[in-house]
Amino acid sequence: MLHTKTGSSGSAGTLNQNTSEANAEAGISSAKSVESIVASEQQQEPQQQQHEEDDKEEKSSIATSVSRPRWWENKSLEEKPVDGAYGWAVVVSGCFMLMFSMGCVNSYGAYQTYYHLNQFPDEPVSTLSWIGTLQFGVMNIFGIPAGIMCERLDTRLVTFVGGFIMGISLVIASFCDDAVWKLMLTQGIVFSIGASLVFIPATSIPSQWFTERRALAVGVVVAGSGIGGLWLTPATNGMIDSLGTGWALRITGIIVFAVNSAASLFMRNRLSIRSREKIVDFTVFRDIRFDFIFIGAICGTTGYFTPLFNLPTYAAQVVGKSESFSNNLLTIINAASTVGRIGTGQLAPLLGTINTLGLCTLIAALSILVFWLPFETTGTVLTCAIIYGLFCGGLISLLPVVMANLWGVQRISTIIGLLYLANFVGTMVGAPSSGAILDNIGHGKDFKKTITFSGVFMLCSFFFFVLLRFATSRKLFERV
């Protein structure tokens, strides 16, 4: 029994000793592992610091590249104040740009009258009206790519290229005035491509620079088209009478390029626009308000150009006025349009932009149906010219403001480009159809059906703008 206890205690001592040695070895190994981990971490710290420094350098280089766009890319001036002095410089530049883009379109009636009475007497009016139709129509259909260019490229470069195309197209047209199809190509299509690169920036960018006086600013810009038509029409008539259509086109082309080149220096975006995957975002058509604007613009532009193109001819053939009076009638329309576009810019903050748009469209339609349609006197023709000129410009000047108020100014260039797709449809339907009605139904002398065609479509435009008004706000007396 004694020997057994002694052996047991010895075995226990040996076991305890082995356990202590194992624990000691485990402690040593764990200490070594800790030391190795610490050493490895110390080795990794410089590598992590190096990676962090590389990341900082990469981010810094990216930020530098973003903050310094290449010379042809869009550049913003967000540090400039809203409603400030530079905004008015943009407005003045846009006014001069529209003076020679839309001004040339509005004064085409002088060329058409001369073409019809002297240069191409055997050509029907509907064929000659295609030149002016293409000027405005192609300018609108090219508004979508023009809006995309304004978002991705420096707008000064875009407008400069547009002025060059306009100028060179008129110079080339001066050597092609022996055939109508050549004038359609040069004075019509090529000119309008350049005009779109000027027209879209000039009507969209000023909204970025103003909040309180946005309607007035855009109204002053769009008034440039009326000012251009005001003095370009008699100037064109004078040049045609003295030098012929060839030199009239050449001189106009040179002036267009020179003035637009100077004005393009100030036409800059205020806001930076981030790039996106979709080149054109058609999701705006899901908004019923845009649909009403789109259809209303189609109807409005369908009837818009009939008084501009046909009222001078009506005064000469039906009322029996002289050719000089007919040409001056177009000058009166442009003068009234200039006053009206600035006036609607002042009226819009008081009544609301959409309300003012609907009112202008209604009065323009009534001027056609009430004063032009039933009468064949000098007084009623003058009354129609003045009233229509005062209010028809609201269709052009207020739509960009409505778009900016409803959808913001960040994407206004491409949204307005989509809007002018509607203007293209209306233009391609309106002027040729009114000319065809005059030639085929009126036999070139009875203007009743043509006048009715124009007035009814202007009334339809008013109807869709009323729907837009109540889709925006159902409160009857709210300023919208």
Side-chain angles (χ1 to χ4, degrees), residues 38-48:
V38 171
S40 62
E41 289 179 352
Q42 291 177 351
Q43 291 177 357
Q44 291 177 356
E45 282 180 359
Q47 296 178 356
Q48 291 178 352

Side-chain angles (χ1 to χ4, degrees), residues 314-336:
Y314 177 86
Q317 293 185 0
V318 178
V319 183
K321 306 304 292 185
S322 63
E323 184 177 342
S324 61
F325 177 88
S326 301
N327 294 328
N328 291 332
L329 197 62
L330 187 60
T331 304
I332 292 172
I333 295 176
N334 287 317

